[in-house]
Amino acid sequence: MFKKLIKLIFAVFLTINLYGCMVAMIFVSENLKVKQDLNVSYSQAFDIVKGAVIEQGIKFDKALIEKDVARINGNYAGKSVHIFIHKISDSQCTIAVRVGTSEAERKIAEGILQAIIDYAKRK
């Protein structure tokens, strides 16, 4: 009986620690993401991001495109790049960029987002 109680306490402790680590990682990834709202449709935003990715020299890995959210993964200077396009309305969407998990890599993400915005202004 005592062994079962210790195993239960250990299992609860382990579960709490694992969830704590997940929460910390989610917090870090959300904090390092840079976002900008654009007054373009969802399909236009996807075309803009595609053009900017090619122009910036980001090596495309994969994309997951759903009804209201698109996620584009790539590689830029040896770092993983994640670009998210969220549909807000028919004429507005949010573009978010995350590169790596450090503050220095956030500067790279800001540069990529600015390149996307500049590309959108030219189109």
Side-chain angles (χ1 to χ4, degrees), residues 23-86:
V23 168
M25 291 302 292
I26 290 169
F27 177 74
V28 166
S29 77
E30 285 298 317
N31 241 7
L32 295 174
K33 200 182 287 184
V34 290
K35 301 177 187 179
Q36 179 72 43
D37 291 344
L38 297 177
N39 291 322
V40 296
S41 70
Y42 180 64
S43 62
Q44 287 174 325
F46 190 76
D47 292 337
I48 289 167
V49 168
K50 183 173 105 177
V53 162
I54 292 169
E55 201 173 76
Q56 288 292 303
I58 298 170
K59 183 184 169 213
F60 173 78
D61 286 337
K62 69 178 182 176
L64 174 64
I65 303 167
E66 296 177 357
K67 183 180 176 185
D68 294 333
V69 178
R71 178 180 176 174
I72 297 103
N73 295 335
N75 214 333
Y76 180 72
K79 304 198 183 303
S80 63
V81 177
H82 305 279
I83 302 172
F84 303 91
I85 304 170
H86 297 276

Side-chain angles (χ1 to χ4, degrees), residues 38-42 68 86-94:
L38 297 177
N39 291 322
V40 296
S41 70
Y42 180 64
D68 294 333
H86 297 276
K87 180 179 178 182
I88 297 173
S89 67
D90 288 339
S91 63
Q92 192 176 24
C93 64
T94 299

